[in-house]
């Protein structure tokens, strides 16, 4: 949550490189409030946005049960009935995250849980080193 980001930012008085690895399933205003705290203190940021491939695009068919881990609420629906709206909402959300990061000169990298994290980080750092 944004509160955790603010607490960590307060513990880092010296400028540095901050790497945030998260699914970013929080209200965007909260996420960027915390990120802006780091930026205000002069830190450089890299955001690695990690999603399960199922979250990124819905490759499922038939009945789907959604379970809210915070409230315990469950919804059962047909994948075909919500696929277009779901994928549109995810696409819009990812674009907003990318735009917000770009506007703050923050590197934003999407990753999926089916790829090894160490390999994804290596690939990113290799690409980054070619730009400098």
């Amino acid at each position: 949550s944004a509160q955790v980001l603010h607490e960590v930012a307060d513990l880092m008085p010296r400028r540095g490189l901050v790497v945030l690895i998260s699914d970013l399933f929080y209200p965007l205003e909260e996420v960027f409030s915390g990120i802006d705290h780091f930026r205000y203190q002069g830190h450089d940021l890299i955001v690695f946005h990690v999603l399960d491939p199922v979250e990124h695009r819905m490759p499922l068919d038939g009945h789907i049960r959604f379970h809210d881990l915070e409230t315990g609420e469950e919804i059962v629906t047909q994948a075909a009935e919500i696929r277009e709206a779901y994928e549109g909402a995810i696409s819009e959300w990812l674009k907003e995250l990318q735009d917000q990061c770009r506007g703050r000169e923050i590197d934003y990298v999407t990753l999926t849980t089916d790829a090894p994290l160490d390999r994804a980080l290596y690939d990113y750092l290799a690409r980054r080193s070619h730009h400098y």
Side-chain angles (χ1 to χ4, degrees):
S1 73
Q3 184 60 35
V4 171
L5 291 175
H6 287 291
E7 289 173 10
V8 172
D10 286 336
L11 294 173
M12 298 179 62
R14 294 176 49 193
R15 294 164 127 186
L17 176 64
V18 175
V19 178
L20 175 62
I21 302 173
S22 174
D23 60 15
L24 299 175
F25 285 136
Y26 301 98
L28 290 184
E29 317 82 58
E30 290 183 20
V31 170
F32 286 103
S33 170
I35 284 174
D36 287 342
H37 192 157
F38 285 105
R39 296 290 295 155
Y40 176 77
Q41 292 180 318
H43 297 290
D44 290 323
L45 278 97
I46 302 171
V47 174
F48 288 101
H49 187 193
V50 182
L51 292 173
D52 186 286
V54 172
E55 294 167 335
H56 201 312
R57 59 190 186 288
M58 190 187 304
L60 307 171
D61 290 313
H63 284 85
I64 298 177
R65 178 185 312 267
F66 290 94
H67 181 83
D68 187 324
L69 296 176
E70 293 180 16
T71 66
E73 182 181 356
E74 290 191 355
I75 298 172
V76 178
T77 187
Q78 286 285 332
E81 292 177 11
I82 64 165
R83 186 181 325 280
E84 187 175 335
Y86 177 88
E87 290 178 353
I90 289 291
S91 178
E92 185 177 306
W93 177 57
L94 293 173
K95 182 175 181 339
E96 179 68 16
L97 284 164
Q98 185 176 32
D99 290 349
Q100 291 283 335
C101 286
R102 184 181 298 124
R104 290 169 169 82
E105 298 180 349
I106 296 170
D107 284 351
Y108 171 78
V109 181
T110 56
L111 305 173
T112 55
T113 57
D114 60 345
L117 182 59
D118 59 343
R119 183 67 196 172
L121 294 175
Y122 176 82
D123 290 345
Y124 165 76
L125 293 172
R127 282 192 312 272
R128 182 177 164 130
S129 69
H130 283 85
H131 288 114
Y132 294 100

